[in-house]
Amino acid sequence: MLEFTVGPVMMDPEVKAVGAEDIPYFRTLEFGEMMKDNERLLKKFAYASEDTKVVFLTASGTGAMECAILNSFTSQDKVLVINGGSFGERWALLCKSHHIPYEEILLEHGQTLREKDLMPYEHQGFTALLIQGDETSTGVRYDLKMVSAFCKRNHLYYVVDAISSFLADPLEMANWGIDVLILSSQKGLSVPPGISVLLLSPKAQARAKEINTGVLYFNLPDYLLNMERGQTPFTPACGILKQIHVRLLMIEKEGGAEAEIERMADLALYFRTKLATAHLPLIPLAETPSNAVTSLKVMGHTKAHDLFDLVYKRFGIYLCPNGGNMKDTILRVGHIGHLEKKDYDLLIKDLGILNQEGIL
Ligand SMILES: *Cc1c(COP(=O)(O)O)cnc(C)c1O
């Protein structure tokens, strides 16, 4: 099997081996120590401040997004949402569900966010900004540093969903004044789905306590209290937390976040360069592409989702399809996970075969 998806993704053999082990009981000192080490490594790789706190939720990434909304905002807020695709739209849906007042900056699919797009929203009474690091549905990487300057000028609470961009694109949580950073196990982290992570600045910790949301499962102050001894309020996906630990230790040994980002950038560039010389009817979509994924406009004879089916059935290769109104037109090729250059050689070769047969 070969996957060019963006989550779940191909995993390192060491991470897979941990998946075959029994699951440890977790109310122990050893488990707590492992969790504290996970916290240390995630803070290090996100370039977070010393006083940042990390909580681990047993939920998919959307659960962590919802948890962030519940514990950060009330109907007194006015939130600015950057919506350039499915995940930006998810921020808007979450605000709507929880009756948080919001406005959206809507971007065309593939369009990046520029300073001029933010200008009309300067000093308009907003209290927060919600964005993705990489809008995974279109593969657009946003300039989080530029957005950070806007947030600082306007005193906005800054929430970044870095679920696919973590370890793929540069990220400096402390320098960029990010208050809540969201990660999930199955994307940039490249372990199985099941765990999502919130990194909380001191401001975010204080706000969660002040808001004191009435919910039980996504009660952040409860998670923060438990995490003081490396625990969670409820049974976590213990096995996945073990896999996260092994993966983070491997990254540390191999040169940390910078080395991992460089590896991913190199893979993305390799694929994009090779694609450009292959003359296939697949045209890059993103103005400012993330290293995590390349999104492609499918311009040939077969619709995007049909092509995904066909490539899987014929070659055993998973490309990454899209849903909604991008289903028939956009396909993606992921770069996160355990992939090598020779995997892209194979992909381009197989796509070339389809092209020659007049199918692509
Ligand atoms: C995958 C993803 C999510 C969350 O998806 P889940 O299916 O809930 O894990 C959120 N944001 C981004 C940017 C993503 O890529």
Side-chain angles (χ1 to χ4, degrees):
M1 187 171 91
L2 185 54
E3 287 188 294
F4 295 98
T5 44
V6 287
V9 297
M10 307 284 287
M11 296 185 287
D12 295 324
E14 292 87 340
V15 171
K16 284 196 271 195
V18 174
E21 291 173 7
D22 279 319
I23 305 296
Y25 180 67
F26 64 104
R27 299 288 187 209
T28 61
L29 208 60
E30 290 75 23
F31 192 83
E33 277 168 6
M34 182 195 78
M35 291 287 275
K36 294 303 267 184
D37 207 40
N38 277 343
E39 175 173 56
R40 172 185 73 84
L41 289 161
L42 287 171
K43 280 168 63 173
K44 183 173 165 184
F45 297 158
Y47 291 86
S49 64
E50 203 37 56
D51 47 11
T52 295
K53 293 266 188 328
V54 180
V55 304
F56 296 87
L57 302 172
T58 295
S60 90
T62 307
M65 292 168 79
E66 184 149 42
C67 180
I69 297 275
L70 278 166
N71 288 274
S72 306
F73 305 121
T74 69
S75 58
Q76 304 304 305
D77 280 283
K78 186 178 162 193
V79 175
L80 187 57
V81 171
I82 311 305
N83 179 354
S86 316
F87 296 106
E89 188 184 356
R90 196 160 302 174
W91 276 137
L93 289 172
L94 284 164
C95 287
K96 204 168 176 179
S97 304
H98 296 290
H99 312 288
I100 311 295
Y102 70 96
E103 280 184 38
E104 293 172 81
I105 298 184
L106 279 166
L107 300 168
E108 297 286 323
H109 292 151
Q111 187 191 344
T112 199
L113 179 74
R114 294 197 166 78
E115 212 151 15
K116 70 168 170 47
D117 301 314
L118 289 170
M119 245 149 63
Y121 300 89
E122 295 268 5
H123 310 299
Q124 296 295 313
F126 287 96
T127 60
L129 184 142
L130 308 180
I131 193 170
Q132 272 67 38
D134 160 29
E135 169 49 71
T136 323
S137 66
T138 62
V140 170
R141 175 183 50 80
Y142 294 126
D143 185 345
L144 294 179
K145 192 177 173 188
M146 180 270 287
V147 176
S148 136
F150 173 80
C151 288
K152 284 177 184 166
R153 273 200 306 280
N154 288 275
H155 309 289
L156 302 185
Y157 187 87
Y158 190 15
V159 181
V160 176
D161 160 7
I163 289 176
S164 66
S165 61
F166 183 60
L167 298 172
D169 298 316
L171 175 72
E172 298 176 32
M173 183 176 177
N175 286 344
W176 298 347
I178 296 170
D179 292 298
V180 181
L181 185 74
I182 301 172
L183 315 175
S184 193
S185 54
Q186 80 275 23
K187 304 256 172 108
L189 270 171
S190 312
V191 304
I195 291 285
S196 292
V197 186
L198 295 169
L199 278 78
L200 304 163
S201 73
K203 195 158 116 191
Q205 297 160 39
R207 193 181 276 217
K209 281 181 194 137
E210 189 188 309
I211 285 182
N212 193 17
T213 174
V215 301
L216 185 76
Y217 192 75
F218 282 150
N219 192 293
L220 266 189
D222 201 6
Y223 280 85
L224 284 166
L225 189 66
N226 272 269
M227 194 53 197
E228 284 176 17
R229 54 193 174 98
Q231 289 291 333
T232 51
F234 312 102
T235 309
C238 313
I240 294 166
L241 287 160
K242 256 176 72 179
Q243 287 173 300
I244 289 177
H245 193 223
V246 167
R247 167 92 170 116
L248 292 175
L249 287 173
M250 281 174 64
I251 292 169
E252 189 181 42
K253 210 170 91 192
E254 286 159 17
E258 261 167 70
E260 184 61 14
I261 291 167
E262 213 170 285
R263 188 183 70 78
M264 203 96 59
D266 189 44
L267 267 188
L269 182 67
Y270 182 80
F271 170 68
R272 287 165 193 166
T273 309
K274 224 170 150 140
L275 182 74
T277 57
H279 305 294
L280 303 173
L282 302 170
I283 310 301
L285 173 75
E287 270 187 334
T288 52
S290 163
N291 291 325
V293 60
T294 302
S295 55
L296 299 165
K297 280 185 279 188
V298 177
M299 314 290 279
H301 307 293
T302 306
K303 287 180 185 164
H305 204 280
D306 296 338
L307 192 59
F308 159 76
D309 280 334
L310 198 138
V311 170
Y312 167 59
K313 285 192 187 120
R314 178 142 167 207
F315 302 111
I317 293 176
Y318 285 93
L319 293 166
C320 192
N322 258 320
N325 57 7
M326 288 186 259
K327 180 176 177 224
D328 288 335
T329 51
I330 312 292
L331 259 187
R332 294 169 294 164
V333 175
H335 310 302
I336 48 186
H338 186 71
L339 287 166
E340 295 171 300
K341 288 183 180 164
K342 68 172 169 51
D343 300 323
Y344 291 98
D345 293 341
L346 185 66
L347 175 63
I348 299 269
K349 179 173 85 58
D350 288 346
L351 290 174
I353 292 171
L354 293 181
N355 195 37
Q356 260 176 4
E357 291 174 1
I359 296 170
L360 193 76

